[in-house]
Amino acid sequence: MKKISIFDLTIFIGLIGVLTLFSKLNAATSDPAGKKWESLMTIINQEIQTIRSSTVSGPELRHRLFELYSEKIKLIKEKENNIFLKADPKRIAEKGKDYFFKSSTEQFNNSQNFGLKIVQDYPQYAKNNEIYYALAVNSRDYGTGKDSEKLLLLSLKAGTKNPQIAYNAKVGLAEYYYNEKKYNTANIYYEDVLKDPKNEWYSKHLYNSSWCHLKERNFKKALSLIKEAYQESNKKQNEGVKSQILNAIGIFFVQADAAIEGVDFYLKNAKPASTYLVNLAKSSRSKNDFPLTDSIYKTALINSIQEKNADQEISIRLEQLEFYREHKKTDLFVATAKELVQLNKKNKMSAENISAISNKIKELAGFMQVNLVKDKLQEVITFNKEDYNKIVILFDLLASLDKENRSLYRYYQGETAFSVADFKSANLFYSRSIMITKKTKKITPQTIKTIDSLLTSIEHTKLSKGQEDRLTIFALKNYLIFYPISDRSQKIYQKLFSKYFTLKQYKRAINIALVYHDKYPADQAIHKEMITQVLDAYIKTKDIENLTIWVNIIDKGFLHFPDTFIQNSIVVLGSLLFEKNQLLEKSNKLQEARAGYKAIFDSKFYPQKIKSEAAYAISSVYLQENNSQDSIVWFKKSIENYPKLDLMKTTSSIYNLAKGHRLLQNFKNSTEVSKTILTQFCTTNFEKKDDFYELILINSVLEKVSIKNILKLETEYSKCKISENKISQIQTDILLILITDDQYENLFSYIKSKELNETSKKMVHNYLHFKFWQDPKGKLEDFNNLTSKYPALTIDTIISEYDALVAYKEKVENVKFIFSSEEKFNDEKYNSELEQYLAILNNLTNDAVKLSKTASLEVVSELQNIIPTPYAALNKSILNFQPKGVDAAYLKGFNQGMRHISESLSAKILQFDREKMMFFDKNHFFFEVKFHAKLGTEKTNIEQILDFHPSLLHSKKVELSGEKK
């Protein structure tokens, strides 16, 4: 075998170190139990074996062996760590931690001894400083570190042929002394280390040195160094420690009394700045400068809001809560707590945050609550009202945050109010607590305390009787809801029943009695007494509805009441029911009343007279509901068994019933009711007898029964001792109806066999007058036949007036206004003709005036329509005439003169028109009604039918010629 030289070994070791060992170290340690780890361990062992098998000896190879041993420590340690992390905790506890690191510890000890042996054997070896440094690092990383200081100092003492090793040793010493809290000594070495600003760890060394100065209370120097470290950390050649600096620099600013500068620093250099500003504020708290720290917190808060960082905002406000509590700034604490509650509503905090906020609020609220009243034994309690209000607010906030325990917080509010004798507020808070419990159905030990506290508070509160009753009922009722069966519940049931009964709240009292019966059925005697009290009260107050319900219930055997008690109750109930239904009817609650009457009618408990009255009442109610048909059905049911004497006493009421049917235009039913009574009591005098007779006849006319049947009814029922005046009056009324309905033929059929009284005669005459002027030509022949048929009717005047009017109209129509027309205008002849024509107009006007003085209003009205006609004709003739053979000047003067005459004629026509309208206004009612008949100036049915302006007559009337306009 060829002998390996030192040179060859050196190359071999170098190749392994560069190409294999160090390139695979990270990969192997990241997979301590995998193939890569095994591969690297094999390479290290092979290299170790190669060196050991060499016959060459010297410090260089031994130095290389030491390096390999050190690398092997790392590999073994990594594998052990992996095993340790996966080990069962019980096994770790049983074996102890050292058990899992035996191999690495053994390798460490062997490696250290080997390294120390090298420097002992070769004290002049040029790289002893490297060996000492490596021993120090091994001691620090894998041993106890107790030898690190000594080894690092030996490394420096061994020489500085490798400046980097010397530099690293100084760094190691600086860090060692820092960890040992020998900050001044550490800084001696940092001063040398910091002389090399190009070192990649320069910013870190500045940072570490700043901490040493801070620990030595050289605050300004420390701040200067850490600020420089931050600047250096921005350079690429420096290892970044920026985050460490940002986290720590706040302390430096505070200790150097430069907190405001720190705020500016973070706002400029940190994004977001709020996290770091909070740390700055925390550091500032050590200075006990409240305004300064508060300002920093608020700046952090503003920054978090600007950054829209809700989580950070919550975190800052939490810090503020603690800060304000420490400094007893309760106003600020409450305000901040409110903001947190609002944040929770907007962003729904985590359970952890809600718990943290709630705990802080509870802590302060509890503290303030305990200290609110200093001396609770004083007669007049003194307390700080602002603190009282704050405590109440704090519990409000807790209720908003911790909804599960809202009832508890309302209870605490009540306790707080009670402690300061604010009993009204205490009542309110206790009540709210109870209501929340009722809603959530979450009953806790505090629930019964709340009810008891409310009852106690009520006793201390100056309340009106009504308020006290309401609150007491509220407390007792909810006690039974929460604790339906308990050692106190029986007494509470009885107490609540008595309270309701005293307040006349009988329905609630019965409900309590029923629940009591359900929960404690053995107390039947008490239950029966409760129900009896309420029934007596229903009878007194005439509470029919509830009395009915309970009579039915006890009749079915509830609580086993005696039969005599039940029967007496039914009798009383029947009497009250009828009275109640009458009241309902008067109150226009007709459907309810009808149902009540029917219940009486259907019941087998009531006598026949009451049932007949109930049927009659139902008939009356149906009529009020405009239901004529059902009304007549029940009327028949009523009189079937109605005692005759009692029925006759109700004839006035029955008459109103009959009239009601008539008002509903059900004349048949109205007549049937009237016939029933008048037939049954035909020979007996009773109130409204004549009126029933009138209804029968008038209903028949209105129903348009044949005249033959109407005359038959008159004959039949006039025998029932009807007064002559009533018979005469009804005849007149029948005529009036026939006239107003314009039943021309029926009118004459009716009066054929009658002897008309004067009123009837006048009325018929006026009707004929009206009919004639509706259609004079059509009625002439008819009217000429009336005189022989009905001698009592005088119609000669009507016809003579008509004849005079026709003659006058013909006279007007025969007048012609034609001016002579010659080639040479003859003004004398024209003036003569004009005077003649004007005289004719005057004569026509005078004739019309003479005729109107004795004529009827219809004639006058027609004359007013006729008289303007000749005036208009002359006016037209004047305007159309033009003289011939005259010059323009003459023609102009002639036309001007004729225009004056034309205007005069037009004015006369307008005057006639105004007079006509004045005539219409003066005679506003229809002619026959206004000036004729028995009516005088009073309006009756006919007037209501015929009451319209006379101008309407002229718009609808028939012309004298018989042709319609």
Side-chain angles (χ1 to χ4, degrees), residues 44 48 52 62 64-74 107-108 110-111 114-115 138:
I44 291 173
I48 291 171
R52 283 180 175 174
R62 294 176 73 181
R64 179 55 188 157
L65 275 175
F66 172 66
E67 288 176 342
L68 292 168
Y69 292 153
S70 297
E71 290 300 331
K72 198 170 179 179
I73 299 170
K74 183 176 182 179
Q107 182 65 31
F108 166 72
N110 292 335
S111 179
F114 186 79
N138 286 344

PDB file of all heavy atoms in Angstrom, residues 44 48 52 62 64-74 107-108 110-111 114-115 138:
ATOM      1  N   ILE A  44     -18.412  11.099   8.313  1.00  0.00           N
ATOM      2  CA  ILE A  44     -17.584  11.579   9.436  1.00  0.00           C
ATOM      3  C   ILE A  44     -16.770  10.421  10.019  1.00  0.00           C
ATOM      4  O   ILE A  44     -15.554  10.542  10.265  1.00  0.00           O
ATOM      5  CB  ILE A  44     -18.473  12.237  10.509  1.00  0.00           C
ATOM      6  CG1 ILE A  44     -19.063  13.554   9.963  1.00  0.00           C
ATOM      7  CG2 ILE A  44     -17.675  12.510  11.775  1.00  0.00           C
ATOM      8  CD1 ILE A  44     -20.090  14.197  10.866  1.00  0.00           C
ATOM      9  N   ILE A  48     -12.741  10.006  10.189  1.00  0.00           N
ATOM     10  CA  ILE A  48     -12.053   9.769  11.481  1.00  0.00           C
ATOM     11  C   ILE A  48     -11.184   8.522  11.375  1.00  0.00           C
ATOM     12  O   ILE A  48     -10.026   8.490  11.808  1.00  0.00           O
ATOM     13  CB  ILE A  48     -13.082   9.627  12.622  1.00  0.00           C
ATOM     14  CG1 ILE A  48     -13.771  10.978  12.888  1.00  0.00           C
ATOM     15  CG2 ILE A  48     -12.409   9.114  13.896  1.00  0.00           C
ATOM     16  CD1 ILE A  48     -14.941  10.898  13.845  1.00  0.00           C
ATOM     17  N   ARG A  52      -7.122   8.219  11.808  1.00  0.00           N
ATOM     18  CA  ARG A  52      -6.561   7.357  12.876  1.00  0.00           C
ATOM     19  C   ARG A  52      -5.641   6.270  12.292  1.00  0.00           C
ATOM     20  O   ARG A  52      -4.657   5.871  12.919  1.00  0.00           O
ATOM     21  CB  ARG A  52      -7.687   6.697  13.661  1.00  0.00           C
ATOM     22  CG  ARG A  52      -8.358   7.646  14.643  1.00  0.00           C
ATOM     23  CD  ARG A  52      -9.462   6.891  15.366  1.00  0.00           C
ATOM     24  NE  ARG A  52     -10.079   7.708  16.402  1.00  0.00           N
ATOM     25  CZ  ARG A  52     -11.132   7.347  17.113  1.00  0.00           C
ATOM     26  NH1 ARG A  52     -11.678   6.168  16.874  1.00  0.00           N
ATOM     27  NH2 ARG A  52     -11.608   8.122  18.057  1.00  0.00           N
ATOM     28  N   ARG A  62      -4.674  16.078  14.265  1.00  0.00           N
ATOM     29  CA  ARG A  62      -5.415  15.965  15.536  1.00  0.00           C
ATOM     30  C   ARG A  62      -6.455  17.105  15.639  1.00  0.00           C
ATOM     31  O   ARG A  62      -7.564  16.924  16.160  1.00  0.00           O
ATOM     32  CB  ARG A  62      -4.450  15.996  16.707  1.00  0.00           C
ATOM     33  CG  ARG A  62      -3.539  14.740  16.720  1.00  0.00           C
ATOM     34  CD  ARG A  62      -2.514  14.802  17.826  1.00  0.00           C
ATOM     35  NE  ARG A  62      -3.168  14.566  19.110  1.00  0.00           N
ATOM     36  CZ  ARG A  62      -2.505  14.589  20.291  1.00  0.00           C
ATOM     37  NH1 ARG A  62      -1.191  14.830  20.297  1.00  0.00           N
ATOM     38  NH2 ARG A  62      -3.141  14.366  21.408  1.00  0.00           N
ATOM     39  N   ARG A  64      -7.950  18.343  13.095  1.00  0.00           N
ATOM     40  CA  ARG A  64      -9.054  17.939  12.236  1.00  0.00           C
ATOM     41  C   ARG A  64      -9.935  16.902  12.917  1.00  0.00           C
ATOM     42  O   ARG A  64     -11.179  16.957  12.821  1.00  0.00           O
ATOM     43  CB  ARG A  64      -8.509  17.397  10.922  1.00  0.00           C
ATOM     44  CG  ARG A  64      -9.599  16.918   9.956  1.00  0.00           C
ATOM     45  CD  ARG A  64     -10.609  18.006   9.679  1.00  0.00           C
ATOM     46  NE  ARG A  64     -11.762  17.516   8.902  1.00  0.00           N
ATOM     47  CZ  ARG A  64     -12.936  18.070   8.871  1.00  0.00           C
ATOM     48  NH1 ARG A  64     -13.170  19.176   9.594  1.00  0.00           N
ATOM     49  NH2 ARG A  64     -13.903  17.563   8.145  1.00  0.00           N
ATOM     50  N   LEU A  65      -9.303  15.992  13.638  1.00  0.00           N
ATOM     51  CA  LEU A  65     -10.090  14.996  14.386  1.00  0.00           C
ATOM     52  C   LEU A  65     -11.007  15.690  15.406  1.00  0.00           C
ATOM     53  O   LEU A  65     -12.165  15.326  15.596  1.00  0.00           O
ATOM     54  CB  LEU A  65      -9.174  14.004  15.088  1.00  0.00           C
ATOM     55  CG  LEU A  65      -8.692  12.798  14.276  1.00  0.00           C
ATOM     56  CD1 LEU A  65      -7.695  11.999  15.082  1.00  0.00           C
ATOM     57  CD2 LEU A  65      -9.865  11.925  13.870  1.00  0.00           C
ATOM     58  N   PHE A  66     -10.469  16.698  16.085  1.00  0.00           N
ATOM     59  CA  PHE A  66     -11.250  17.444  17.083  1.00  0.00           C
ATOM     60  C   PHE A  66     -12.492  18.089  16.431  1.00  0.00           C
ATOM     61  O   PHE A  66     -13.583  18.076  16.976  1.00  0.00           O
ATOM     62  CB  PHE A  66     -10.371  18.498  17.748  1.00  0.00           C
ATOM     63  CG  PHE A  66     -11.137  19.449  18.647  1.00  0.00           C
ATOM     64  CD1 PHE A  66     -11.757  18.984  19.812  1.00  0.00           C
ATOM     65  CD2 PHE A  66     -11.269  20.803  18.341  1.00  0.00           C
ATOM     66  CE1 PHE A  66     -12.468  19.846  20.629  1.00  0.00           C
ATOM     67  CE2 PHE A  66     -11.966  21.648  19.160  1.00  0.00           C
ATOM     68  CZ  PHE A  66     -12.577  21.180  20.318  1.00  0.00           C
ATOM     69  N   GLU A  67     -12.300  18.642  15.223  1.00  0.00           N
ATOM     70  CA  GLU A  67     -13.422  19.244  14.511  1.00  0.00           C
ATOM     71  C   GLU A  67     -14.478  18.199  14.164  1.00  0.00           C
ATOM     72  O   GLU A  67     -15.692  18.443  14.301  1.00  0.00           O
ATOM     73  CB  GLU A  67     -12.926  19.909  13.217  1.00  0.00           C
ATOM     74  CG  GLU A  67     -12.131  21.185  13.461  1.00  0.00           C
ATOM     75  CD  GLU A  67     -11.560  21.784  12.181  1.00  0.00           C
ATOM     76  OE1 GLU A  67     -11.477  21.078  11.149  1.00  0.00           O
ATOM     77  OE2 GLU A  67     -11.225  22.990  12.210  1.00  0.00           O
ATOM     78  N   LEU A  68     -13.976  17.004  13.736  1.00  0.00           N
ATOM     79  CA  LEU A  68     -14.926  15.936  13.402  1.00  0.00           C
ATOM     80  C   LEU A  68     -15.685  15.463  14.638  1.00  0.00           C
ATOM     81  O   LEU A  68     -16.895  15.183  14.586  1.00  0.00           O
ATOM     82  CB  LEU A  68     -14.207  14.776  12.746  1.00  0.00           C
ATOM     83  CG  LEU A  68     -13.644  15.060  11.338  1.00  0.00           C
ATOM     84  CD1 LEU A  68     -12.711  13.944  10.895  1.00  0.00           C
ATOM     85  CD2 LEU A  68     -14.785  15.231  10.345  1.00  0.00           C
ATOM     86  N   TYR A  69     -14.959  15.357  15.770  1.00  0.00           N
ATOM     87  CA  TYR A  69     -15.623  14.960  17.016  1.00  0.00           C
ATOM     88  C   TYR A  69     -16.711  15.992  17.397  1.00  0.00           C
ATOM     89  O   TYR A  69     -17.793  15.623  17.880  1.00  0.00           O
ATOM     90  CB  TYR A  69     -14.603  14.839  18.142  1.00  0.00           C
ATOM     91  CG  TYR A  69     -13.637  13.686  17.966  1.00  0.00           C
ATOM     92  CD1 TYR A  69     -12.357  13.728  18.537  1.00  0.00           C
ATOM     93  CD2 TYR A  69     -14.006  12.527  17.282  1.00  0.00           C
ATOM     94  CE1 TYR A  69     -11.478  12.679  18.405  1.00  0.00           C
ATOM     95  CE2 TYR A  69     -13.128  11.469  17.134  1.00  0.00           C
ATOM     96  CZ  TYR A  69     -11.867  11.558  17.692  1.00  0.00           C
ATOM     97  OH  TYR A  69     -10.991  10.522  17.542  1.00  0.00           O
ATOM     98  N   SER A  70     -16.389  17.239  17.192  1.00  0.00           N
ATOM     99  CA  SER A  70     -17.365  18.299  17.533  1.00  0.00           C
ATOM    100  C   SER A  70     -18.616  18.213  16.646  1.00  0.00           C
ATOM    101  O   SER A  70     -19.750  18.365  17.113  1.00  0.00           O
ATOM    102  CB  SER A  70     -16.718  19.680  17.380  1.00  0.00           C
ATOM    103  OG  SER A  70     -15.653  19.833  18.285  1.00  0.00           O
ATOM    104  N   GLU A  71     -18.390  17.923  15.348  1.00  0.00           N
ATOM    105  CA  GLU A  71     -19.527  17.784  14.443  1.00  0.00           C
ATOM    106  C   GLU A  71     -20.381  16.582  14.824  1.00  0.00           C
ATOM    107  O   GLU A  71     -21.618  16.601  14.711  1.00  0.00           O
ATOM    108  CB  GLU A  71     -19.034  17.627  13.001  1.00  0.00           C
ATOM    109  CG  GLU A  71     -18.414  18.887  12.393  1.00  0.00           C
ATOM    110  CD  GLU A  71     -19.373  20.053  12.350  1.00  0.00           C
ATOM    111  OE1 GLU A  71     -20.605  19.827  12.252  1.00  0.00           O
ATOM    112  OE2 GLU A  71     -18.928  21.210  12.438  1.00  0.00           O
ATOM    113  N   LYS A  72     -19.688  15.567  15.287  1.00  0.00           N
ATOM    114  CA  LYS A  72     -20.406  14.356  15.669  1.00  0.00           C
ATOM    115  C   LYS A  72     -21.322  14.611  16.885  1.00  0.00           C
ATOM    116  O   LYS A  72     -22.408  14.041  16.989  1.00  0.00           O
ATOM    117  CB  LYS A  72     -19.397  13.252  15.978  1.00  0.00           C
ATOM    118  CG  LYS A  72     -19.985  11.850  15.959  1.00  0.00           C
ATOM    119  CD  LYS A  72     -18.879  10.805  16.033  1.00  0.00           C
ATOM    120  CE  LYS A  72     -19.489   9.401  16.029  1.00  0.00           C
ATOM    121  NZ  LYS A  72     -18.452   8.360  16.079  1.00  0.00           N
ATOM    122  N   ILE A  73     -20.878  15.499  17.785  1.00  0.00           N
ATOM    123  CA  ILE A  73     -21.723  15.868  18.946  1.00  0.00           C
ATOM    124  C   ILE A  73     -23.058  16.420  18.433  1.00  0.00           C
ATOM    125  O   ILE A  73     -24.143  16.056  18.911  1.00  0.00           O
ATOM    126  CB  ILE A  73     -21.041  16.929  19.832  1.00  0.00           C
ATOM    127  CG1 ILE A  73     -19.729  16.432  20.395  1.00  0.00           C
ATOM    128  CG2 ILE A  73     -21.973  17.349  20.968  1.00  0.00           C
ATOM    129  CD1 ILE A  73     -18.904  17.503  21.068  1.00  0.00           C
ATOM    130  N   LYS A  74     -22.947  17.287  17.461  1.00  0.00           N
ATOM    131  CA  LYS A  74     -24.148  17.947  16.939  1.00  0.00           C
ATOM    132  C   LYS A  74     -25.122  16.941  16.335  1.00  0.00           C
ATOM    133  O   LYS A  74     -26.343  16.997  16.598  1.00  0.00           O
ATOM    134  CB  LYS A  74     -23.746  18.990  15.892  1.00  0.00           C
ATOM    135  CG  LYS A  74     -24.925  19.789  15.348  1.00  0.00           C
ATOM    136  CD  LYS A  74     -24.442  20.857  14.394  1.00  0.00           C
ATOM    137  CE  LYS A  74     -25.625  21.680  13.908  1.00  0.00           C
ATOM    138  NZ  LYS A  74     -25.225  22.744  12.987  1.00  0.00           N
ATOM    139  N   GLN A 107     -20.060  11.884  24.045  1.00  0.00           N
ATOM    140  CA  GLN A 107     -19.282  12.399  22.917  1.00  0.00           C
ATOM    141  C   GLN A 107     -18.693  13.773  23.238  1.00  0.00           C
ATOM    142  O   GLN A 107     -17.558  14.091  22.883  1.00  0.00           O
ATOM    143  CB  GLN A 107     -20.187  12.502  21.685  1.00  0.00           C
ATOM    144  CG  GLN A 107     -19.497  12.985  20.416  1.00  0.00           C
ATOM    145  CD  GLN A 107     -18.437  12.010  19.913  1.00  0.00           C
ATOM    146  OE1 GLN A 107     -18.560  10.805  20.105  1.00  0.00           O
ATOM    147  NE2 GLN A 107     -17.370  12.530  19.329  1.00  0.00           N
ATOM    148  N   PHE A 108     -19.488  14.597  23.944  1.00  0.00           N
ATOM    149  CA  PHE A 108     -19.020  15.939  24.319  1.00  0.00           C
ATOM    150  C   PHE A 108     -17.793  15.829  25.222  1.00  0.00           C
ATOM    151  O   PHE A 108     -16.774  16.513  25.011  1.00  0.00           O
ATOM    152  CB  PHE A 108     -20.159  16.696  25.024  1.00  0.00           C
ATOM    153  CG  PHE A 108     -19.713  17.933  25.752  1.00  0.00           C
ATOM    154  CD1 PHE A 108     -19.323  19.079  25.059  1.00  0.00           C
ATOM    155  CD2 PHE A 108     -19.648  17.946  27.150  1.00  0.00           C
ATOM    156  CE1 PHE A 108     -18.894  20.209  25.757  1.00  0.00           C
ATOM    157  CE2 PHE A 108     -19.218  19.075  27.826  1.00  0.00           C
ATOM    158  CZ  PHE A 108     -18.843  20.218  27.134  1.00  0.00           C
ATOM    159  N   ASN A 110     -15.667  13.366  25.594  1.00  0.00           N
ATOM    160  CA  ASN A 110     -14.500  12.826  24.869  1.00  0.00           C
ATOM    161  C   ASN A 110     -13.887  13.891  23.958  1.00  0.00           C
ATOM    162  O   ASN A 110     -12.657  14.039  23.862  1.00  0.00           O
ATOM    163  CB  ASN A 110     -14.901  11.605  24.051  1.00  0.00           C
ATOM    164  CG  ASN A 110     -15.267  10.407  24.927  1.00  0.00           C
ATOM    165  OD1 ASN A 110     -14.806  10.317  26.068  1.00  0.00           O
ATOM    166  ND2 ASN A 110     -16.075   9.494  24.404  1.00  0.00           N
ATOM    167  N   SER A 111     -14.739  14.618  23.292  1.00  0.00           N
ATOM    168  CA  SER A 111     -14.272  15.649  22.357  1.00  0.00           C
ATOM    169  C   SER A 111     -13.514  16.743  23.095  1.00  0.00           C
ATOM    170  O   SER A 111     -12.452  17.211  22.649  1.00  0.00           O
ATOM    171  CB  SER A 111     -15.455  16.240  21.596  1.00  0.00           C
ATOM    172  OG  SER A 111     -15.018  17.234  20.710  1.00  0.00           O
ATOM    173  N   PHE A 114     -10.175  15.560  24.211  1.00  0.00           N
ATOM    174  CA  PHE A 114      -9.266  15.428  23.061  1.00  0.00           C
ATOM    175  C   PHE A 114      -8.716  16.804  22.663  1.00  0.00           C
ATOM    176  O   PHE A 114      -7.521  16.975  22.385  1.00  0.00           O
ATOM    177  CB  PHE A 114     -10.020  14.800  21.875  1.00  0.00           C
ATOM    178  CG  PHE A 114      -9.157  14.493  20.697  1.00  0.00           C
ATOM    179  CD1 PHE A 114      -8.343  13.350  20.686  1.00  0.00           C
ATOM    180  CD2 PHE A 114      -9.107  15.360  19.600  1.00  0.00           C
ATOM    181  CE1 PHE A 114      -7.533  13.079  19.592  1.00  0.00           C
ATOM    182  CE2 PHE A 114      -8.299  15.071  18.516  1.00  0.00           C
ATOM    183  CZ  PHE A 114      -7.516  13.942  18.501  1.00  0.00           C
ATOM    184  N   GLY A 115      -9.573  17.801  22.649  1.00  0.00           N
ATOM    185  CA  GLY A 115      -9.127  19.141  22.280  1.00  0.00           C
ATOM    186  C   GLY A 115      -8.124  19.696  23.267  1.00  0.00           C
ATOM    187  O   GLY A 115      -7.124  20.327  22.890  1.00  0.00           O
ATOM    188  N   ASN A 138     -18.306  24.597  22.198  1.00  0.00           N
ATOM    189  CA  ASN A 138     -18.886  23.313  22.613  1.00  0.00           C
ATOM    190  C   ASN A 138     -19.410  23.380  24.036  1.00  0.00           C
ATOM    191  O   ASN A 138     -20.465  22.825  24.361  1.00  0.00           O
ATOM    192  CB  ASN A 138     -17.842  22.208  22.504  1.00  0.00           C
ATOM    193  CG  ASN A 138     -17.580  21.825  21.053  1.00  0.00           C
ATOM    194  OD1 ASN A 138     -18.357  22.156  20.178  1.00  0.00           O
ATOM    195  ND2 ASN A 138     -16.484  21.109  20.805  1.00  0.00           N
TER     196      ASN A 138
END
